[in-house]
Amino acid sequence: MAKHSGTKVSTPFWRDKRIIPIILQLLFVILVIGISWYFINNAITALKEIGIKLGFGFLKNTASFNIGESLIEYSATDTYYRAVLVGLLNTVRVSLLGIIFATIIGFIVGIARLSSNWLVQRLASLYIEIFRNTPLLVQIFIWFFAVFLALPQIKQAISIGNFHLSNKGITMPWFVANSVTTAWLLALFIGIVLFIVLWKVMLKIQVNSGKRKYPLLWSIAGLALPIVLTWLFTQQGPVNIENPVMGNFNFEGGYTLTANFLAIFLALTIYTATYIAEIVRGGIMSVSKGQIEASKALGVKGSTTMRLIILPQAIRIIIPPLTSQYLNLTKNSSLAIAAGFPDLVAISETINNQTGRAFQAVVIMIIVYLVLSILTSIFMNIFNKKMQIVER
Amino acid sequence: MKTNMETGTNLPTSSPPKSTIGILGWLKQNLFNNWYNSILTILSVLVLYFALKGTLTWVFTTAQWDIVADNFRLFMVGQFPVEEIWRIWLALSLVSLLFGLSAGIWRGTNLHLSVVLMGIYLIHILASFTSVNTKMWLGINIAILVVSFFTGPRIPKHKVVTILGWFLAFPITIFLVNGFGVLPEVSTNLWGGLLLTLLISIIAIVFAFPIGILLALGRTSKLPIIRYFCIFFIEFVRGIPLITVLFMAMLLLPLFLPEGIEINNVLRVMVACTLFTSAYMAENVRGGLQSIPNGQYEAAKAIGLNPIQSMTFIIMPQALRAVIPAIVGQSISMFKDTSLVAIVGLADILGIAQAVKSNPDYLGRIMEAYLFVALAYWVIAYSMSYASRRLEKQLGVGER
């Protein structure tokens, strides 16, 4: 860039190609600093007038509000800090479950979209077109206000077996650990290790000898062996199942998925799955037709072609857009506030309403979402790299 | 696979085997070609039957649509003063005129969209709950649509006029809706319903576009400070949810402004949506810039264009053309995302549904209201994505 102007001494500095960019950037910096100073100054004066202090010391104070559901112990006497943590965990919980289920549904629908069965293909497109073109928030409202809140009161809950459906959500049987749970977990762990080892060993023998060795049967046997042994020794199941019983006002025992959680979870899953389905379809279609034809020519059957030839190649194209969908889902989980699910945004909003500390509440939301976004990107980038290496 | 052998060797050209033609052949090939497809077909038919039966019985027998019919004006324009509503009708007529002209001149996608618009008008003119005044305006709109469709191609310089009209439609509409003192002013607080939803999304998209281009240029710039500033802005906005940006606008914007200056909620939300979309626009435009081969830059330099000229005349037109579908996609998602303003208490179409819900007269009929809102969003979003898909095919963007 600076090749031509280097030798001439007579070039005035305002036409010097080395100086102009520096001056421009200096001007830009002065402009940005000036404008931000103006705004920040306004904010500081305004905050002083209302009498609100900056800083996060208030997080140690007692929160004194209740939270509907929480993964950790929480009561109104706990601190704001703990309330924020509860919100964060709820956000992570709903996003993580949403990601898992949206991926499963998305892959199924994406593959169905390419099915040779005309009706299945049409049904998949219908599903995608309906749910993709309606705002997520409208879907959340429909699930929460029009579906779950319209269900009968808890006293008249609709019961299917031990599953009870009411406007409070779904209450279902849940597991309770018993005296031999640890032994079972250990057995399960050994079983899984055996499964993997046997699968790898038998597959290698099969490939090397060219004879059928049934690696799947062997590994299932490996998984079953410790489990059967544990059962013979303990004569007890791994966990006891506890059925919900109607108490005075509520079901006691079992596990309740609240209507708030279900509304946001179902809406997020169904909405994001449509995007994932389109990504999967695009990925599969990008695998060249020759690959499928070659696999057919070798006599590989349809499902195996999908599993071993098409998906491994498609997955590389699928992962980057899938990552951004996961990020979108995590960010969209902030809409939980609309269904009264106490996620991070809802709790920050409560803190703001209670203490008037708008600035801090917003900063908490921003930091958490930026960190979550960065973490998801890093994780998916690692996964992506791992997938790419397999190629060559 | 049957061959000629089975149907008779003496016929040189025999018709295809019975099992591959006709309705039965189609059924066999597409629905029952092997055992698991047959099972899938039967399952799908069952699912479809029960879903359709349930939905249709609900829509036509159980549902009581008076919650929508009674509040129809609220859903459309919110609290907009009744005596000024002619201005919205006028703006709508302008849009009808432009749609009619475009349909007449370019046919294709424009024609399809105009037919949809016509369908919407017809449905409302036939519906029982619309007032005489409304029916009159709808009739005028239909007439404008039809007349402009047939006369459009005969107007001299019709293409220039129409494109100019589309560009002017936005400021004219804003002028008509607001008034700005020339007409009696309708403050933004009174904007509501579908009108507000459309205005927020259109304003966000229109203003985010130039800001997005500037940010994209900044991000690809060689000047480090400007580049890092743009990267910071883009990644910051893309990393946080829209609802946070809206809260920021609602809670913090008033703090940052000097005393005495107050901007109302609708404007705050518009600023927030614009800044939010501009970061995403910037990434789309950057994608387009990256798709331009270096040779284009070098060629532009070689014929003596300065950087600004080469950007305006050589690089940007190509880059933007390549990312039109992505930009339309972004616009659709912005349009859907405007529903979030209902959470911060604005009376957009979803906000109206929320407000109507609390009226005890309509207890337990909230599903009808939400479904109507969903349908309104769906029709617009689907039309946009349909147009975008057609455009993508015409441009052949994805096929290189």
Side-chain angles (χ1 to χ4, degrees), chain A residues 146-161:
Chain A
V147 175
F148 282 110
L149 289 195
L151 285 172
Q153 300 274 324
I154 202 151
K155 285 277 180 194
Q156 287 94 38
I158 306 166
S159 299
I160 306 160

Side-chain angles (χ1 to χ4, degrees), chain A residues 21 25 38-39 42-43 49 116-118 123 129 132-135 137 141 145 271 275 331 334 352 362 373, chain B residues 30-31 37 41 48 223-225 238-239 241 243 248 255-256 258-259 280 336 339 354 357 370 377-378 382:
Chain A
Q25 295 193 68
Y38 174 72
F39 282 132
N42 282 332
E49 252 171 50
S116 61
N117 187 323
W118 182 84
L123 264 184
E129 293 300 354
R132 201 184 153 102
N133 287 315
T134 333
L137 188 60
F141 278 153
F145 290 109
Y271 180 78
Y275 285 86
K331 283 185 278 169
S334 60
N352 166 45
V362 169
S373 294
Chain B
N30 290 296
L31 297 178
N37 263 344
T41 305
L48 205 60
L223 310 177
I225 294 178
R238 277 161 42 95
I243 190 74
M248 251 153 91
L255 282 181
F256 283 119
E259 265 182 85
Y280 287 83
K336 286 188 292 171
S339 56
Q354 288 293 82
K357 184 183 73 177
Y370 283 142
Y377 273 110
W378 189 87
Y382 186 78

